[in-house]
Amino acid sequence: MNIISMNSYVLGFRDIDKSQLSAVGGKGANLGELCNIDGINVPQGFCITTRAFNEIVANNSLINELLDQLAGCRANDREKVSALSGRIRAEIERLQIPNEMAEEVSRYIAALGEEKAYAVRSSATAEDLPTASFAGQQDTYLNIIGRTEILKHISRCWASLFTDRAVIYRLQNGFDHRKVQLSVVVQLMVFPEVAGIMFTADPVTGNRKTVSIDASLGLGEALVSGLVNADVYKVNNNRIADKQVAVKKLAVKAQENGGTAAEEIGEEQQRQQALTDEQILQLATIGKSIAAYFGQPQDIEWCLANGSFYIVQSRPITTLFPVPEAGDDESHVYVSVGHQQMMTDPLKPLGIAIWQLTAPRPMHTAAGRLFVDIARNLASPGNRDTILDIFGKSDPLIKDALLQVVAKEDFIKPLPDNPAVNPLPPTPPVTEIEYNPTLVEELIRSNEADIATLRQQIAKKSGTELFDFIVEDLDKQKKDMFNQRSLGVVMAGINASFWVNDKMNEWLGEKNAVDVLTQSVPHNITSEMGLALLDVADVIRPYPEVISYLQRVKDDNFLEDLGKTAGGEEAANAITRYLDKYGMRCVGEIDITKTRWSEKPAQLIPLILSNIRNFEPGAGRKMFEKGLREANDKGRGLLERLRQLPDGEKKAAEAKHVINLVRNYIGYREYPKYAKIVRYYLYKQALMKEAAALVKAGVIHEPEDVYYLGFHEFREAVNSGKLDYQLIEQRKEEYRQFEKLTPPRVMTSEGEIMTGRYKNENLPANAIVGLAVSSGVVEGRARVILKMEDADLEDGDILVTLFTDPSWTPLFVSVKGLITEVGGLMTHGAVIAREYGLPAVVGVLDATKRIRDKQRIRVNGTEGYVEIL
């Protein structure tokens, strides 16, 4: 059937492909594509194009006035949204479809058969897209018979673009109501014995090799709307891996005169499989061919009638986290880098490129996140034990997930032990490591000299010479990561900490003894940063004019006028000194594109004002001295108790040596990251001069556009003075989609997300479990904060957030407990929590959703759980 014309309001399925998305919406475009796949049965039909909808809406002044009002609403303005949406729907349904449109629809109905039954479905231009499904937001009508009824239900579909749920969904996802247009799909009804939904990748685990099929008796819409129970079948590698047969008491079936109704199922049928095993495998094969055609996993609506399968819809599964690309068919096990670096947000392309150039081993990307493949480490027994031990000490959830991978039969083929893939060189027993009292200071002086040299040299570079210079310096950084003196200090401090905890638990029955011992250690650049901001508050506190001025600050040039106030010069100098040392830091600092404190110093003002409000003068010094006293008292107490044991003098001597290692080496654990971020900021300052030149030359629109280029793409743009700007726009849109996805800790090359579990026992009922990283029990008001700049803390609050990198440290001085969704024993938040003496539990899954802002809670940082009081 082909009744198409240049100005047609209607297109038949055979005349449609994905290029006509704007005319027929996501559902219509996908139906047109399905018709092109050999061997796929698609019931015939046609689409009323968005042109028809647009003409009706554009010519109605009342609808346009209501749309203007709707544009000003927010998603939580439920009553206003409901009232406006209802008026728009009523107006659309009241309008008569123009004769030209109605006649064209009638010709298509006549060609297919006016006496037949049809499904009338909405198809919006912002639905069934690779990045947003909008599933179920508009209405569907089944078993519609006759021209008059079909035209009436076309109007109802148009109106359904403005149901409350559809409007609120668009508001929540940032879609403009005027830019989302509606086509209507009119499709011959199939009257199935069985119908349902098929996911060509497991929607729960993400496994791309598992097809998941839901099947119920009667029409599939009843299953979608939750009216009936369904069987669930899992097919993996062309075999049925699992079957869950539901008790099916109802089926929704088409009625003879139109419409649908629920019917009871006979008792003998209620427990039978809806599909035979042969049909299950046949349907899974169909699903795989459709997914292969579209090039990504699909959510497919299907039905079985008279022994044949019909496909009535297919859309991308938008909720799956993409699988990192390896370029082969081998088994891979990907561990999230972001969970180790306390940065699970997506990185922009330039940030990824810079980090990759520094990385000691190849990294894979997916949805703007970085992953390392440790399949080879898990394949050989010796390496497997080492890597599991490392992750077990850092993040038990990752270790448990990896153990699940190892337990999977035939996923990883065993290899002989290979020291070449061992992640870290073996270290001597911690009790045999010699302590060098000047080593840490020597390492810091050496780093500072290197950075001073870099600052001088990079200032002289420009053009492609700058990029080549940065590559050379990044190569030097990569080698320095394995500097045996620096790495030795870091590992000695970490291993000594674990030794103390293990031995004090074994010898004295005391858990987490090291938590107090690591308070107020020397040379911790990150904890010093938090205390230094208290010192800035001390400088400003005596000057009311300065405080008043800072409370009114709106922009980042505030330092220029600060000196005009009484005490302003002293305040400006204090803030400038702070920025000189710490201004390269920011939230998500491993991404070079993130805005640094020095670039936007107003970020620090709420923290400074909070410190002035919540603390007395000298609080930083007092806090450090208190921690130092407690650490020293703890060390002496442990040694005295050890001397009372059998062989106590030997145990005490060993412990004294290792405690000395902890106290003097563990603080340096934070320094290499600081040094890296200092270098990143110097690179960024130089690179942004090149970006400004590209703006001046008209190659890009704004300097920040270069964030969406890889390092070598940026270099080529500087070299050639040319760039396809469409690439920038495409990557900006991709980044916006990446922000909506949550990265897994561990996933396989099959796309399966492995979720670890804690093994805690004997916890209180309703305890929210996590990883204990800093001892103590504290009660207080929860403050759920997702962005550091939104923090409004009072002394004694408990901070609850997604993750904390070093930039969050200034907040730690104002709270008395910490809870994060991401983290491990040696990640930055845990290290600083221990040094400040804050009870902390990290790795608490969905903490920011399960704990409400301002709830009263108890944090048990010794046992690793949270209670809501």
Side-chain angles (χ1 to χ4, degrees), residues 46 48 97 105-106 109 113-114 116-120 141 143-157 184-187:
F46 56 90
I48 295 90
I97 295 177
V105 170
S106 298
I109 294 171
E114 191 164 346
K116 292 180 180 176
Y118 292 84
V120 183
Y141 302 96
N143 201 25
I144 308 302
I145 301 171
R147 172 185 177 278
T148 303
E149 286 297 308
I150 290 171
L151 290 172
K152 184 201 301 184
H153 283 85
I154 288 170
S155 291
R156 287 183 177 176
C157 281
V184 179
V185 173
V186 180
Q187 187 174 26

PDB file of all heavy atoms in Angstrom, residues 46 48 97 105-106 109 113-114 116-120 141 143-157 184-187:
ATOM      1  N   PHE A  46      -0.301   2.540   9.665  1.00  0.00           N
ATOM      2  CA  PHE A  46       0.142   3.839   9.162  1.00  0.00           C
ATOM      3  C   PHE A  46       0.273   4.811  10.327  1.00  0.00           C
ATOM      4  O   PHE A  46      -0.194   4.536  11.444  1.00  0.00           O
ATOM      5  CB  PHE A  46      -0.839   4.383   8.113  1.00  0.00           C
ATOM      6  CG  PHE A  46      -2.259   4.505   8.594  1.00  0.00           C
ATOM      7  CD1 PHE A  46      -2.719   5.675   9.197  1.00  0.00           C
ATOM      8  CD2 PHE A  46      -3.156   3.442   8.458  1.00  0.00           C
ATOM      9  CE1 PHE A  46      -4.027   5.790   9.649  1.00  0.00           C
ATOM     10  CE2 PHE A  46      -4.469   3.557   8.904  1.00  0.00           C
ATOM     11  CZ  PHE A  46      -4.908   4.732   9.502  1.00  0.00           C
ATOM     12  N   ILE A  48      -0.259   8.960  11.467  1.00  0.00           N
ATOM     13  CA  ILE A  48      -0.668  10.335  11.219  1.00  0.00           C
ATOM     14  C   ILE A  48       0.494  11.199  11.684  1.00  0.00           C
ATOM     15  O   ILE A  48       0.904  11.141  12.849  1.00  0.00           O
ATOM     16  CB  ILE A  48      -1.957  10.692  11.988  1.00  0.00           C
ATOM     17  CG1 ILE A  48      -3.136   9.851  11.479  1.00  0.00           C
ATOM     18  CG2 ILE A  48      -2.286  12.162  11.832  1.00  0.00           C
ATOM     19  CD1 ILE A  48      -3.325   8.563  12.181  1.00  0.00           C
ATOM     20  N   ILE A  97     -11.185  17.300  13.649  1.00  0.00           N
ATOM     21  CA  ILE A  97     -10.095  17.060  12.709  1.00  0.00           C
ATOM     22  C   ILE A  97     -10.501  17.627  11.349  1.00  0.00           C
ATOM     23  O   ILE A  97     -11.575  17.311  10.829  1.00  0.00           O
ATOM     24  CB  ILE A  97      -9.797  15.547  12.593  1.00  0.00           C
ATOM     25  CG1 ILE A  97      -9.284  15.022  13.942  1.00  0.00           C
ATOM     26  CG2 ILE A  97      -8.775  15.281  11.500  1.00  0.00           C
ATOM     27  CD1 ILE A  97      -9.036  13.530  13.975  1.00  0.00           C
ATOM     28  N   VAL A 105      -6.791   9.905   6.255  1.00  0.00           N
ATOM     29  CA  VAL A 105      -6.846   8.771   7.186  1.00  0.00           C
ATOM     30  C   VAL A 105      -7.840   7.730   6.668  1.00  0.00           C
ATOM     31  O   VAL A 105      -7.569   6.513   6.686  1.00  0.00           O
ATOM     32  CB  VAL A 105      -7.240   9.255   8.600  1.00  0.00           C
ATOM     33  CG1 VAL A 105      -7.529   8.056   9.513  1.00  0.00           C
ATOM     34  CG2 VAL A 105      -6.144  10.123   9.207  1.00  0.00           C
ATOM     35  N   SER A 106      -8.986   8.211   6.188  1.00  0.00           N
ATOM     36  CA  SER A 106     -10.027   7.294   5.718  1.00  0.00           C
ATOM     37  C   SER A 106      -9.548   6.444   4.556  1.00  0.00           C
ATOM     38  O   SER A 106      -9.898   5.261   4.451  1.00  0.00           O
ATOM     39  CB  SER A 106     -11.271   8.095   5.304  1.00  0.00           C
ATOM     40  OG  SER A 106     -11.798   8.800   6.410  1.00  0.00           O
ATOM     41  N   ILE A 109      -7.509   3.636   5.960  1.00  0.00           N
ATOM     42  CA  ILE A 109      -8.363   2.659   6.645  1.00  0.00           C
ATOM     43  C   ILE A 109      -9.075   1.785   5.615  1.00  0.00           C
ATOM     44  O   ILE A 109      -9.151   0.551   5.759  1.00  0.00           O
ATOM     45  CB  ILE A 109      -9.390   3.379   7.548  1.00  0.00           C
ATOM     46  CG1 ILE A 109      -8.670   4.100   8.705  1.00  0.00           C
ATOM     47  CG2 ILE A 109     -10.404   2.379   8.110  1.00  0.00           C
ATOM     48  CD1 ILE A 109      -9.582   5.010   9.508  1.00  0.00           C
ATOM     49  N   GLY A 113      -8.914  -2.127   5.441  1.00  0.00           N
ATOM     50  CA  GLY A 113     -10.180  -2.789   5.800  1.00  0.00           C
ATOM     51  C   GLY A 113     -10.888  -2.052   6.912  1.00  0.00           C
ATOM     52  O   GLY A 113     -10.466  -2.122   8.065  1.00  0.00           O
ATOM     53  N   GLU A 114     -11.988  -1.343   6.554  1.00  0.00           N
ATOM     54  CA  GLU A 114     -12.679  -0.515   7.537  1.00  0.00           C
ATOM     55  C   GLU A 114     -13.364  -1.353   8.610  1.00  0.00           C
ATOM     56  O   GLU A 114     -13.579  -0.915   9.732  1.00  0.00           O
ATOM     57  CB  GLU A 114     -13.714   0.387   6.838  1.00  0.00           C
ATOM     58  CG  GLU A 114     -14.276   1.448   7.761  1.00  0.00           C
ATOM     59  CD  GLU A 114     -14.987   2.565   7.016  1.00  0.00           C
ATOM     60  OE1 GLU A 114     -14.822   2.676   5.791  1.00  0.00           O
ATOM     61  OE2 GLU A 114     -15.711   3.327   7.684  1.00  0.00           O
ATOM     62  N   LYS A 116     -12.151  -3.934  10.007  1.00  0.00           N
ATOM     63  CA  LYS A 116     -11.173  -4.578  10.889  1.00  0.00           C
ATOM     64  C   LYS A 116     -10.970  -3.757  12.172  1.00  0.00           C
ATOM     65  O   LYS A 116     -11.344  -2.587  12.253  1.00  0.00           O
ATOM     66  CB  LYS A 116      -9.850  -4.760  10.151  1.00  0.00           C
ATOM     67  CG  LYS A 116      -9.950  -5.777   9.005  1.00  0.00           C
ATOM     68  CD  LYS A 116      -8.623  -5.935   8.294  1.00  0.00           C
ATOM     69  CE  LYS A 116      -8.764  -6.962   7.154  1.00  0.00           C
ATOM     70  NZ  LYS A 116      -7.518  -7.082   6.376  1.00  0.00           N
ATOM     71  N   ALA A 117     -10.344  -4.416  13.131  1.00  0.00           N
ATOM     72  CA  ALA A 117     -10.053  -3.756  14.407  1.00  0.00           C
ATOM     73  C   ALA A 117      -8.628  -3.204  14.390  1.00  0.00           C
ATOM     74  O   ALA A 117      -7.718  -3.816  13.802  1.00  0.00           O
ATOM     75  CB  ALA A 117     -10.213  -4.740  15.561  1.00  0.00           C
ATOM     76  N   TYR A 118      -8.422  -2.076  15.080  1.00  0.00           N
ATOM     77  CA  TYR A 118      -7.130  -1.393  15.067  1.00  0.00           C
ATOM     78  C   TYR A 118      -6.680  -1.055  16.498  1.00  0.00           C
ATOM     79  O   TYR A 118      -7.511  -0.862  17.394  1.00  0.00           O
ATOM     80  CB  TYR A 118      -7.220  -0.092  14.255  1.00  0.00           C
ATOM     81  CG  TYR A 118      -7.435  -0.320  12.774  1.00  0.00           C
ATOM     82  CD1 TYR A 118      -8.715  -0.524  12.254  1.00  0.00           C
ATOM     83  CD2 TYR A 118      -6.360  -0.345  11.896  1.00  0.00           C
ATOM     84  CE1 TYR A 118      -8.914  -0.751  10.903  1.00  0.00           C
ATOM     85  CE2 TYR A 118      -6.550  -0.567  10.536  1.00  0.00           C
ATOM     86  CZ  TYR A 118      -7.822  -0.768  10.046  1.00  0.00           C
ATOM     87  OH  TYR A 118      -8.011  -1.000   8.707  1.00  0.00           O
ATOM     88  N   ALA A 119      -5.377  -0.958  16.632  1.00  0.00           N
ATOM     89  CA  ALA A 119      -4.780  -0.357  17.831  1.00  0.00           C
ATOM     90  C   ALA A 119      -4.394   1.069  17.464  1.00  0.00           C
ATOM     91  O   ALA A 119      -3.798   1.304  16.408  1.00  0.00           O
ATOM     92  CB  ALA A 119      -3.551  -1.138  18.270  1.00  0.00           C
ATOM     93  N   VAL A 120      -4.739   2.015  18.314  1.00  0.00           N
ATOM     94  CA  VAL A 120      -4.396   3.421  18.070  1.00  0.00           C
ATOM     95  C   VAL A 120      -3.445   3.849  19.193  1.00  0.00           C
ATOM     96  O   VAL A 120      -3.833   3.867  20.371  1.00  0.00           O
ATOM     97  CB  VAL A 120      -5.662   4.305  18.046  1.00  0.00           C
ATOM     98  CG1 VAL A 120      -5.288   5.749  17.717  1.00  0.00           C
ATOM     99  CG2 VAL A 120      -6.662   3.771  17.023  1.00  0.00           C
ATOM    100  N   TYR A 141      -4.951   2.852  22.679  1.00  0.00           N
ATOM    101  CA  TYR A 141      -6.336   2.367  22.651  1.00  0.00           C
ATOM    102  C   TYR A 141      -6.399   1.143  21.746  1.00  0.00           C
ATOM    103  O   TYR A 141      -5.887   1.169  20.625  1.00  0.00           O
ATOM    104  CB  TYR A 141      -7.279   3.471  22.141  1.00  0.00           C
ATOM    105  CG  TYR A 141      -7.208   4.717  22.985  1.00  0.00           C
ATOM    106  CD1 TYR A 141      -6.386   5.782  22.617  1.00  0.00           C
ATOM    107  CD2 TYR A 141      -7.926   4.810  24.167  1.00  0.00           C
ATOM    108  CE1 TYR A 141      -6.302   6.925  23.407  1.00  0.00           C
ATOM    109  CE2 TYR A 141      -7.848   5.946  24.966  1.00  0.00           C
ATOM    110  CZ  TYR A 141      -7.032   7.000  24.579  1.00  0.00           C
ATOM    111  OH  TYR A 141      -6.952   8.109  25.371  1.00  0.00           O
ATOM    112  N   ASN A 143      -8.413  -2.353  19.947  1.00  0.00           N
ATOM    113  CA  ASN A 143      -9.651  -2.917  19.395  1.00  0.00           C
ATOM    114  C   ASN A 143     -10.649  -1.818  19.028  1.00  0.00           C
ATOM    115  O   ASN A 143     -11.818  -1.873  19.368  1.00  0.00           O
ATOM    116  CB  ASN A 143     -10.277  -3.903  20.398  1.00  0.00           C
ATOM    117  CG  ASN A 143     -11.225  -4.874  19.722  1.00  0.00           C
ATOM    118  OD1 ASN A 143     -11.096  -5.156  18.521  1.00  0.00           O
ATOM    119  ND2 ASN A 143     -12.190  -5.380  20.469  1.00  0.00           N
ATOM    120  N   ILE A 144     -10.152  -0.835  18.312  1.00  0.00           N
ATOM    121  CA  ILE A 144     -10.988   0.274  17.858  1.00  0.00           C
ATOM    122  C   ILE A 144     -11.508  -0.059  16.454  1.00  0.00           C
ATOM    123  O   ILE A 144     -10.713  -0.346  15.549  1.00  0.00           O
ATOM    124  CB  ILE A 144     -10.203   1.597  17.845  1.00  0.00           C
ATOM    125  CG1 ILE A 144      -9.520   1.823  19.205  1.00  0.00           C
ATOM    126  CG2 ILE A 144     -11.119   2.758  17.498  1.00  0.00           C
ATOM    127  CD1 ILE A 144     -10.444   1.848  20.388  1.00  0.00           C
ATOM    128  N   ILE A 145     -12.814   0.001  16.269  1.00  0.00           N
ATOM    129  CA  ILE A 145     -13.437  -0.427  15.005  1.00  0.00           C
ATOM    130  C   ILE A 145     -14.237   0.725  14.418  1.00  0.00           C
ATOM    131  O   ILE A 145     -15.030   1.378  15.115  1.00  0.00           O
ATOM    132  CB  ILE A 145     -14.355  -1.649  15.230  1.00  0.00           C
ATOM    133  CG1 ILE A 145     -13.548  -2.818  15.825  1.00  0.00           C
ATOM    134  CG2 ILE A 145     -15.025  -2.082  13.922  1.00  0.00           C
ATOM    135  CD1 ILE A 145     -14.408  -3.972  16.284  1.00  0.00           C
ATOM    136  N   GLY A 146     -14.023   0.989  13.112  1.00  0.00           N
ATOM    137  CA  GLY A 146     -14.812   1.984  12.403  1.00  0.00           C
ATOM    138  C   GLY A 146     -14.117   3.321  12.299  1.00  0.00           C
ATOM    139  O   GLY A 146     -13.416   3.762  13.215  1.00  0.00           O
ATOM    140  N   ARG A 147     -14.340   3.994  11.170  1.00  0.00           N
ATOM    141  CA  ARG A 147     -13.675   5.258  10.866  1.00  0.00           C
ATOM    142  C   ARG A 147     -13.930   6.313  11.945  1.00  0.00           C
ATOM    143  O   ARG A 147     -13.003   6.988  12.418  1.00  0.00           O
ATOM    144  CB  ARG A 147     -14.174   5.760   9.510  1.00  0.00           C
ATOM    145  CG  ARG A 147     -13.730   7.158   9.123  1.00  0.00           C
ATOM    146  CD  ARG A 147     -14.402   7.578   7.820  1.00  0.00           C
ATOM    147  NE  ARG A 147     -14.052   8.941   7.468  1.00  0.00           N
ATOM    148  CZ  ARG A 147     -14.630  10.043   7.966  1.00  0.00           C
ATOM    149  NH1 ARG A 147     -15.604   9.911   8.860  1.00  0.00           N
ATOM    150  NH2 ARG A 147     -14.246  11.249   7.567  1.00  0.00           N
ATOM    151  N   THR A 148     -15.176   6.465  12.359  1.00  0.00           N
ATOM    152  CA  THR A 148     -15.516   7.504  13.340  1.00  0.00           C
ATOM    153  C   THR A 148     -14.782   7.291  14.656  1.00  0.00           C
ATOM    154  O   THR A 148     -14.223   8.229  15.248  1.00  0.00           O
ATOM    155  CB  THR A 148     -17.042   7.533  13.590  1.00  0.00           C
ATOM    156  OG1 THR A 148     -17.711   7.735  12.344  1.00  0.00           O
ATOM    157  CG2 THR A 148     -17.414   8.639  14.569  1.00  0.00           C
ATOM    158  N   GLU A 149     -14.760   6.040  15.132  1.00  0.00           N
ATOM    159  CA  GLU A 149     -14.080   5.731  16.396  1.00  0.00           C
ATOM    160  C   GLU A 149     -12.574   5.940  16.283  1.00  0.00           C
ATOM    161  O   GLU A 149     -11.923   6.431  17.217  1.00  0.00           O
ATOM    162  CB  GLU A 149     -14.391   4.288  16.823  1.00  0.00           C
ATOM    163  CG  GLU A 149     -15.781   4.093  17.368  1.00  0.00           C
ATOM    164  CD  GLU A 149     -16.011   4.900  18.636  1.00  0.00           C
ATOM    165  OE1 GLU A 149     -15.189   4.794  19.576  1.00  0.00           O
ATOM    166  OE2 GLU A 149     -17.002   5.669  18.684  1.00  0.00           O
ATOM    167  N   ILE A 150     -12.007   5.581  15.140  1.00  0.00           N
ATOM    168  CA  ILE A 150     -10.555   5.756  14.960  1.00  0.00           C
ATOM    169  C   ILE A 150     -10.200   7.240  15.001  1.00  0.00           C
ATOM    170  O   ILE A 150      -9.248   7.645  15.682  1.00  0.00           O
ATOM    171  CB  ILE A 150     -10.094   5.104  13.634  1.00  0.00           C
ATOM    172  CG1 ILE A 150     -10.178   3.574  13.755  1.00  0.00           C
ATOM    173  CG2 ILE A 150      -8.659   5.530  13.287  1.00  0.00           C
ATOM    174  CD1 ILE A 150      -9.954   2.831  12.466  1.00  0.00           C
ATOM    175  N   LEU A 151     -10.986   8.084  14.293  1.00  0.00           N
ATOM    176  CA  LEU A 151     -10.716   9.529  14.303  1.00  0.00           C
ATOM    177  C   LEU A 151     -10.853  10.108  15.713  1.00  0.00           C
ATOM    178  O   LEU A 151     -10.053  10.947  16.147  1.00  0.00           O
ATOM    179  CB  LEU A 151     -11.665  10.246  13.337  1.00  0.00           C
ATOM    180  CG  LEU A 151     -11.408   9.997  11.840  1.00  0.00           C
ATOM    181  CD1 LEU A 151     -12.529  10.590  11.000  1.00  0.00           C
ATOM    182  CD2 LEU A 151     -10.065  10.583  11.423  1.00  0.00           C
ATOM    183  N   LYS A 152     -11.865   9.641  16.459  1.00  0.00           N
ATOM    184  CA  LYS A 152     -12.045  10.116  17.830  1.00  0.00           C
ATOM    185  C   LYS A 152     -10.823   9.761  18.690  1.00  0.00           C
ATOM    186  O   LYS A 152     -10.348  10.579  19.490  1.00  0.00           O
ATOM    187  CB  LYS A 152     -13.304   9.481  18.434  1.00  0.00           C
ATOM    188  CG  LYS A 152     -13.629  10.011  19.843  1.00  0.00           C
ATOM    189  CD  LYS A 152     -14.518   9.081  20.637  1.00  0.00           C
ATOM    190  CE  LYS A 152     -15.855   8.820  19.925  1.00  0.00           C
ATOM    191  NZ  LYS A 152     -16.746   7.968  20.775  1.00  0.00           N
ATOM    192  N   HIS A 153     -10.305   8.548  18.498  1.00  0.00           N
ATOM    193  CA  HIS A 153      -9.177   8.110  19.339  1.00  0.00           C
ATOM    194  C   HIS A 153      -7.852   8.720  18.882  1.00  0.00           C
ATOM    195  O   HIS A 153      -6.904   8.794  19.682  1.00  0.00           O
ATOM    196  CB  HIS A 153      -9.117   6.580  19.375  1.00  0.00           C
ATOM    197  CG  HIS A 153     -10.156   5.988  20.272  1.00  0.00           C
ATOM    198  ND1 HIS A 153     -11.441   5.730  19.847  1.00  0.00           N
ATOM    199  CD2 HIS A 153     -10.125   5.666  21.601  1.00  0.00           C
ATOM    200  CE1 HIS A 153     -12.148   5.235  20.851  1.00  0.00           C
ATOM    201  NE2 HIS A 153     -11.377   5.200  21.931  1.00  0.00           N
ATOM    202  N   ILE A 154      -7.780   9.160  17.633  1.00  0.00           N
ATOM    203  CA  ILE A 154      -6.604   9.934  17.208  1.00  0.00           C
ATOM    204  C   ILE A 154      -6.543  11.223  18.029  1.00  0.00           C
ATOM    205  O   ILE A 154      -5.484  11.610  18.546  1.00  0.00           O
ATOM    206  CB  ILE A 154      -6.661  10.222  15.699  1.00  0.00           C
ATOM    207  CG1 ILE A 154      -6.379   8.933  14.908  1.00  0.00           C
ATOM    208  CG2 ILE A 154      -5.645  11.307  15.313  1.00  0.00           C
ATOM    209  CD1 ILE A 154      -6.649   9.051  13.420  1.00  0.00           C
ATOM    210  N   SER A 155      -7.676  11.899  18.173  1.00  0.00           N
ATOM    211  CA  SER A 155      -7.719  13.126  18.992  1.00  0.00           C
ATOM    212  C   SER A 155      -7.356  12.835  20.444  1.00  0.00           C
ATOM    213  O   SER A 155      -6.669  13.622  21.105  1.00  0.00           O
ATOM    214  CB  SER A 155      -9.120  13.756  18.930  1.00  0.00           C
ATOM    215  OG  SER A 155      -9.373  14.270  17.646  1.00  0.00           O
ATOM    216  N   ARG A 156      -7.823  11.698  20.967  1.00  0.00           N
ATOM    217  CA  ARG A 156      -7.488  11.343  22.354  1.00  0.00           C
ATOM    218  C   ARG A 156      -5.981  11.111  22.516  1.00  0.00           C
ATOM    219  O   ARG A 156      -5.401  11.457  23.558  1.00  0.00           O
ATOM    220  CB  ARG A 156      -8.268  10.091  22.765  1.00  0.00           C
ATOM    221  CG  ARG A 156      -9.751  10.357  22.988  1.00  0.00           C
ATOM    222  CD  ARG A 156     -10.463   9.098  23.476  1.00  0.00           C
ATOM    223  NE  ARG A 156     -11.873   9.376  23.747  1.00  0.00           N
ATOM    224  CZ  ARG A 156     -12.756   8.457  24.107  1.00  0.00           C
ATOM    225  NH1 ARG A 156     -12.374   7.188  24.248  1.00  0.00           N
ATOM    226  NH2 ARG A 156     -14.007   8.793  24.338  1.00  0.00           N
ATOM    227  N   CYS A 157      -5.366  10.502  21.498  1.00  0.00           N
ATOM    228  CA  CYS A 157      -3.909  10.310  21.551  1.00  0.00           C
ATOM    229  C   CYS A 157      -3.193  11.655  21.558  1.00  0.00           C
ATOM    230  O   CYS A 157      -2.248  11.864  22.323  1.00  0.00           O
ATOM    231  CB  CYS A 157      -3.440   9.465  20.373  1.00  0.00           C
ATOM    232  SG  CYS A 157      -3.711   7.696  20.592  1.00  0.00           S
ATOM    233  N   VAL A 184       0.489   9.746  15.531  1.00  0.00           N
ATOM    234  CA  VAL A 184      -0.386   8.674  16.021  1.00  0.00           C
ATOM    235  C   VAL A 184      -0.209   7.455  15.123  1.00  0.00           C
ATOM    236  O   VAL A 184      -0.263   7.572  13.898  1.00  0.00           O
ATOM    237  CB  VAL A 184      -1.865   9.112  16.054  1.00  0.00           C
ATOM    238  CG1 VAL A 184      -2.748   7.964  16.538  1.00  0.00           C
ATOM    239  CG2 VAL A 184      -2.039  10.327  16.969  1.00  0.00           C
ATOM    240  N   VAL A 185       0.023   6.305  15.745  1.00  0.00           N
ATOM    241  CA  VAL A 185       0.158   5.033  15.027  1.00  0.00           C
ATOM    242  C   VAL A 185      -1.209   4.348  15.001  1.00  0.00           C
ATOM    243  O   VAL A 185      -1.838   4.173  16.054  1.00  0.00           O
ATOM    244  CB  VAL A 185       1.186   4.118  15.729  1.00  0.00           C
ATOM    245  CG1 VAL A 185       1.206   2.737  15.087  1.00  0.00           C
ATOM    246  CG2 VAL A 185       2.568   4.746  15.699  1.00  0.00           C
ATOM    247  N   VAL A 186      -1.641   3.970  13.810  1.00  0.00           N
ATOM    248  CA  VAL A 186      -2.873   3.184  13.658  1.00  0.00           C
ATOM    249  C   VAL A 186      -2.457   1.853  13.036  1.00  0.00           C
ATOM    250  O   VAL A 186      -1.944   1.816  11.919  1.00  0.00           O
ATOM    251  CB  VAL A 186      -3.911   3.905  12.778  1.00  0.00           C
ATOM    252  CG1 VAL A 186      -5.164   3.049  12.639  1.00  0.00           C
ATOM    253  CG2 VAL A 186      -4.244   5.273  13.363  1.00  0.00           C
ATOM    254  N   GLN A 187      -2.672   0.756  13.765  1.00  0.00           N
ATOM    255  CA  GLN A 187      -2.115  -0.544  13.376  1.00  0.00           C
ATOM    256  C   GLN A 187      -3.178  -1.628  13.513  1.00  0.00           C
ATOM    257  O   GLN A 187      -3.947  -1.638  14.480  1.00  0.00           O
ATOM    258  CB  GLN A 187      -0.911  -0.861  14.281  1.00  0.00           C
ATOM    259  CG  GLN A 187      -0.117  -2.080  13.905  1.00  0.00           C
ATOM    260  CD  GLN A 187       1.134  -2.222  14.774  1.00  0.00           C
ATOM    261  OE1 GLN A 187       1.176  -1.731  15.902  1.00  0.00           O
ATOM    262  NE2 GLN A 187       2.162  -2.868  14.252  1.00  0.00           N
TER     263      GLN A 187
END
